[in-house]
Amino acid sequence: MIDEKFDAIVVGAGLAGNAAALTMAKRGVKVLQLERGEYSGSKNVQSAILSADLLEELIPDFRDDAPLERNLVEQRFWMMNDRSHIGLGYRFDAKRPTRYTVIRAHFDKWFSSKVKQAGAAVLCQTTATELARNRRGCVIGVRTDRQDGIIHADVVVLADGANGLLGARAGFRKAPKPDQVALAVKETHILPRKVVEDRLNLKGDGGVVIEAGGVIARGMTGIGFIYANKECISLGVACLLSELQKTGEIPYQLLDSFKRHPSIARLIDGSDVRDYSAHLIPKRGDKPAPRLRRSGWVAVGDAASLDGIVDFDSPSIAMISGRVAAEAVSGLKLRGDLTRAGGLSLYNKMLQMTLRESKKYEDMPGLLHADPQSFSLTYPQLVLKAMKNFTRGTPEADKSILRILPSPWSRTGGEPFRVPRVLR
Amino acid sequence: MHNVVCIKQVPDSAQIRVHPVTNTIMRQGVPTIINPYDLFALEAALELRDKFGGEITVVTMGPPSAEDSLRKALTFGAERAVLLTDRCFAGADTLATTYALATAIRKIGKDYGQPDLIFTGKQTIDGDTAQVGPGIAKRLQVMQLTYVVKIGALDLTARTIEAERRSEGGVQVLRTRLPCLITMLEATNQIRRGAMADALRAARAPIVKWSAQDAGVEDISKCGLKGSPTVVKRVFAPSARADKATLVEPSEEPAQALIDTIFKHQPKLEADLAALAGNV
Ligand SMILES: Cc1cc2nc3c(=O)[nH]c(=O)nc-3n(C[C@H](O)[C@H](O)[C@H](O)COP(=O)(O)OP(=O)(O)OC[C@H]3O[C@@H](n4cnc5c(N)ncnc54)[C@H](O)[C@@H]3O)c2cc1C
């Protein structure tokens, strides 16, 4: 057994785990982080959009060396039919970039180097297999797959992603049901930089994200997404697991027919496909959220299925929750209260508060991260949803949406002036 | 005993792609690993340490990011890691690499005790030369055993070592005296999974970093690009073969079916053979 004891053990080095480990380490908490992959990001082939404000709060000088791909200058929303689409676009001229696309494998690795610099001990290729508990049921550490692998800590931060096996195994949360998780399958298509920019009408480091709704593939409803990176286009589809079960569709075949859609095919023509991957997205909708903390542990990011606790459909929620939990733990440590059971209820309160304020992150909510219903919307509903998305963020958005909205659309949702506000 | 293991951080060749348009190797985003052959060397050193006691120092010459590989080596259980990193080392061929490594190993000997054995992998997967191990041995004027598959009797008092070496047509059993450099062949052992204590230590241990000067390099002109007579003329991807495999359906006369298929695809061959048969 290892004699050494840590203030906190963070299980998982994804967005949530890294945000938590970094925040705690910076505040003098003695942190051990465990990651089962070879390095942070090694299992991740996604692209993501991250909020500049949020990154700046975590790492003020991130622009110096973070592997950022493009800064978003445009959002498009496509309503797909079998062989055609109708598109809405919102182009903004951000003088100071507010959102960046990143390739997670690169970004997470860089993020992790910051965690190490801040003083956390980061062990990769180490899987936490079980929570260690005392007789009263309090979590006192974790067991790992290494020899002599029990390590003790005052708090265990569960950041082990959407499967959240550790919490499930300990009975802290139920495994999500098929209608509470969406399965996203995606691919990376390598193309020369110039081709990416020409096909998507981009200049310099400007970036675009396209979300597609409607009949994404073979008559099934779901969400399709396309992100432009520097030298690749990353695209995928997401459907509720229950929907897949019902129709018997095979995810990669859905992706395949999405790719053959004429609107998509021309974007990726001649590309070299790099990775294919599948990932779960928790979608609890308005169902009660799992408990976020108990004595000796907190859950953050996808492991906490946070999307259900507030009306908040931001993809940044993983990082926000990691940071907030870390602040709660650091606060307790400062007061010398870390070992007091129940002290972590602070986290719930702080999280609710932060999320309520977090509109300031100018997040792009994105259909992918919205409630499960948006996976099977009708066209008029999709239009409204799209407008709701567009009108978040920058203040001039409200005005510009009116300019791009042709009159026939107003019939679908009533008077266009009021639509966005009504929906909020 | 004190053993030194030389490792190299290499791009994971299984994941390297050639750019579809420009035909250049795409290094960006390709994960790096410890050269797989070096892991056989490291495990061999670890096994000896477990049996005879002592310490293992791993050393690498590379960019600052090679620290990742050294940390991983510590996770497996090595005691100490030395990173040889300096701009002037960049662009080194095997001649310049062996110069830098041999110099560093001399310094390791001075600082941490003279090594009994020096290990390298048979070769690296990004250079494939198999010259670095022998080059170091030559420069340090120690014995060398290459392509070793198994280490046999080691006598620390008589200062001798026995090893099995694969050669064309068989296995040689050789004995030589210490100190000695060994290059390990693949599939001779399997790298262990480090215990928790090793992993924890590795995550926090300081890595010894030496510049050329720190390592005691006297002649900078023998390092890096300057010290490298080898020139890479051109890199290209071999073009893919366009022929497709054809499946021959099972039939009563498999030989005939096979020949028919071959002739169908190579009509000229049939004519040529017929002409030949006519001549006989
Ligand atoms: C298609 C798609 C697009 C998305 N787009 C965006 C976006 O644009 N912006 C955005 O912010 N978010 C986006 N997300 C969401 C984002 O990926 C997740 O919210 C985020 O990754 C969750 O972070 P996490 O740290 O909770 O989990 P993860 O990133 O899944 O990390 C969990 C980590 O824990 C490790 N782990 C698991 N179990 C163990 C164990 N037992 N022991 C040790 N380690 C373990 C895993 O290896 C992994 O590294 C997207 C998701 C999908 C699927």
Side-chain angles (χ1 to χ4, degrees):
Chain A
M1 209 187 82
I2 310 284
D3 288 331
E4 193 176 353
K5 186 179 164 189
F6 289 85
D7 292 332
I9 294 175
V10 178
V11 180
L15 292 179
N18 282 342
L22 178 75
T23 308
M24 287 191 289
K26 273 189 173 168
R27 292 170 185 227
V29 177
K30 187 174 168 192
V31 178
L32 173 68
Q33 188 183 33
L34 305 176
E35 164 57 47
R36 98 191 133 168
E38 200 180 332
Y39 51 88
S40 171
S42 63
K43 293 246 161 82
N44 202 316
V45 297
Q46 275 156 231
S47 295
I49 296 154
L50 300 178
S51 135
D53 287 344
L54 184 56
L55 281 175
E56 204 165 84
E57 278 172 18
L58 287 165
I59 304 160
D61 52 359
F62 75 96
R63 287 185 182 86
D64 292 351
D65 56 356
L68 306 170
E69 290 284 315
R70 289 177 182 276
N71 60 278
L72 278 196
V73 296
E74 187 176 344
Q75 261 175 269
R76 288 180 210 161
F77 185 81
W78 289 359
M79 281 143 282
M80 313 283 284
N81 213 329
D82 282 344
R83 303 197 50 78
S84 58
H85 81 265
I86 300 173
L88 280 174
Y90 171 44
R91 188 136 184 158
F92 36 95
D93 179 26
K95 272 172 219 83
R96 216 173 131 270
T98 53
R99 281 163 290 175
Y100 294 97
T101 54
V102 299
I103 295 176
R104 289 283 304 276
H106 304 174
F107 181 83
D108 287 18
K109 198 172 177 186
W110 169 85
F111 201 178
S112 176
S113 74
K114 298 290 165 186
V115 173
K116 288 176 204 162
Q117 269 172 31
V122 181
L123 299 196
C124 293
Q125 293 184 309
T126 307
T127 305
T129 49
E130 204 186 331
L131 290 169
R133 291 201 265 179
N134 66 12
R135 247 178 277 127
R136 278 179 295 125
C138 289
V139 172
I140 51 165
V142 297
R143 269 172 241 276
T144 72
D145 62 341
R146 285 190 187 272
Q147 201 189 325
D148 311 320
I150 302 186
I151 327 173
H152 290 100
D154 288 333
V155 182
V156 175
V157 178
L158 296 173
D160 52 345
N163 274 325
L165 284 180
L166 274 194
R169 233 174 256 157
F172 293 159
R173 64 174 259 185
K174 288 207 184 74
K177 298 205 182 69
D179 63 346
Q180 294 175 333
V181 266
L183 181 73
V185 287
K186 52 145 301 206
E187 275 177 3
T188 308
H189 290 256
I190 315 260
L191 286 162
R193 188 175 173 142
K194 174 126 186 14
V195 175
V196 173
E197 286 164 10
D198 287 351
R199 289 185 188 171
L200 287 160
N201 191 17
L202 296 170
K203 255 204 225 118
D205 282 339
V208 61
V209 54
I210 305 172
E211 286 195 290
V215 185
I216 51 152
R218 310 223 290 200
M220 240 181 90
T221 45
I223 301 294
F225 51 91
I226 298 157
Y227 295 164
N229 290 315
K230 278 203 180 98
E231 293 200 307
C232 65
I233 290 177
S234 126
L235 59 80
V237 293
C239 297
L240 285 180
L241 266 191
S242 50
E243 190 88 349
L244 287 169
Q245 281 179 339
K246 210 165 63 202
T247 57
E249 286 287 356
I250 298 164
Y252 73 81
Q253 284 174 356
L254 283 180
L255 181 60
D256 236 38
S257 55
F258 182 62
K259 275 160 49 189
R260 277 199 303 271
H261 190 287
S263 302
I264 311 289
R266 64 163 201 96
L267 293 179
I268 53 173
D269 183 39
S271 67
D272 191 28
V273 183
R274 189 152 66 189
D275 331 272
Y276 168 83
S277 74
H279 195 94
L280 296 175
I281 312 177
K283 291 253 156 265
R284 295 216 177 222
D286 49 10
K287 299 182 185 74
R291 281 168 302 183
L292 289 181
R293 47 94 222 134
R294 268 189 145 199
S295 38
W297 63 276
V298 288
V300 298
D302 283 357
S305 305
L306 290 168
D307 61 306
I309 69 161
V310 267
D311 168 30
F312 188 75
D313 43 11
S314 159
S316 297
I317 193 162
M319 266 170 140
I320 295 174
S321 66
R323 198 199 69 206
V324 171
E327 281 166 0
V329 171
S330 311
L332 290 174
K333 149 108 182 169
L334 212 67
R335 298 209 313 258
D337 268 357
L338 205 48
T339 47
R340 217 188 61 202
L344 282 168
S345 58
L346 191 61
Y347 166 48
N348 272 358
K349 271 189 233 125
M350 287 169 66
L351 188 62
Q352 297 278 359
M353 248 165 56
T354 315
L355 291 184
R356 244 175 274 130
E357 294 172 11
S358 61
K359 298 259 188 310
K360 70 172 181 192
Y361 294 124
E362 294 198 348
D363 246 321
M364 186 173 60
L367 288 179
L368 198 55
H369 306 284
D371 45 87
Q373 286 83 8
S374 51
F375 280 70
S376 50
L377 294 175
T378 60
Y379 285 137
Q381 286 172 308
L382 280 169
V383 177
L384 295 182
K385 200 89 195 169
M387 291 200 300
K388 182 186 171 195
N389 283 356
F390 287 139
T391 51
R392 288 235 199 165
T394 47
E396 73 264 36
D398 281 290
K399 276 172 269 154
S400 48
I401 192 90
L402 300 179
R403 255 182 275 126
I404 56 173
L405 211 65
S407 54
W409 288 113
S410 55
R411 254 187 287 139
T412 59
E415 203 216 335
F417 277 83
R418 257 197 257 128
V419 167
R421 256 151 263 153
V422 168
L423 276 171
R424 263 185 221 194
Chain B
M1 67 187 306
H2 181 202
N3 295 337
V4 172
V5 182
C6 304
I7 67 170
K8 184 180 181 193
Q9 176 162 295
V10 295
D12 188 349
S13 59
Q15 298 193 44
I16 289 189
R17 295 283 186 103
V18 175
H19 199 288
V21 184
T22 58
N23 249 339
T24 51
I25 294 177
M26 302 194 298
R27 283 174 204 277
Q28 200 217 4
V30 177
T32 54
I33 53 173
I34 297 180
N35 175 43
Y37 293 106
D38 302 347
L39 291 178
F40 301 113
L42 179 57
E43 178 60 27
L46 286 165
E47 280 165 18
L48 287 177
R49 182 207 55 194
D50 291 350
K51 212 155 137 198
F52 296 95
E55 287 188 340
I56 294 171
T57 303
V58 276
V59 57
T60 190
M61 178 183 90
S65 61
E67 182 177 333
D68 293 349
S69 288
L70 288 175
R71 251 181 228 293
K72 192 164 283 174
L74 293 178
T75 309
F76 294 127
E79 272 72 21
R80 179 183 308 110
V82 177
L83 173 60
L84 207 53
T85 190
D86 198 312
R87 289 236 153 151
C88 78
F89 292 141
D93 68 1
T94 54
L95 192 72
T97 302
T98 56
Y99 175 72
L101 282 173
T103 310
I105 292 169
R106 263 188 227 113
K107 163 102 168 144
I108 288 171
K110 257 188 238 139
D111 288 8
Y112 308 113
Q114 290 305 326
D116 301 293
L117 292 169
I118 300 160
F119 284 91
T120 70
K122 175 187 79 170
Q123 63 193 44
T124 55
I125 56 169
D126 65 341
D128 286 332
T129 67
Q131 292 169 357
V132 170
I136 294 172
K138 184 80 188 128
R139 288 187 186 275
L140 294 176
Q141 297 186 337
V142 298
M143 295 296 131
Q144 58 174 300
L145 296 169
T146 53
Y147 299 121
V148 169
V149 289
K150 195 173 166 204
I151 292 172
L154 174 72
D155 189 334
L156 284 173
T157 358
R159 307 220 21 98
T160 58
I161 184 167
E162 264 177 36
E164 291 178 20
R165 172 180 196 271
R166 192 176 300 158
S167 65
E168 262 168 64
V171 172
Q172 303 169 334
V173 181
L174 302 172
R175 182 187 308 133
T176 189
R177 39 172 215 282
L178 301 179
C180 168
L181 182 137
I182 291 177
T183 81
M184 288 299 288
L185 217 54
E186 66 271 26
T188 46
N189 56 37
Q190 199 182 8
I191 190 71
R192 64 194 55 196
R193 188 159 165 69
M196 196 64 204
D198 288 321
L200 262 180
R201 185 173 50 80
R204 293 183 290 193
I207 302 275
V208 181
K209 284 177 197 150
W210 286 346
S211 65
Q213 201 187 357
D214 299 335
V217 168
E218 275 160 12
D219 188 353
I220 295 267
S221 72
K222 287 187 178 160
C223 294
L225 204 56
K226 260 192 248 150
S228 299
T230 317
V231 178
V232 177
K233 248 184 98 184
R234 193 161 73 93
V235 176
F236 64 97
S239 52
R241 286 176 49 181
D243 311 342
K244 286 211 177 72
T246 310
L247 189 71
V248 180
E249 294 298 330
S251 70
E252 300 266 295
E253 303 257 7
Q256 191 58 46
L258 197 59
I259 286 173
D260 290 347
T261 314
I262 292 172
F263 285 163
K264 206 173 107 207
H265 288 266
Q266 309 220 20
K268 193 166 165 294
L269 186 67
E270 183 170 17
D272 288 353
L273 283 175
L276 253 175
N279 284 345
V280 174

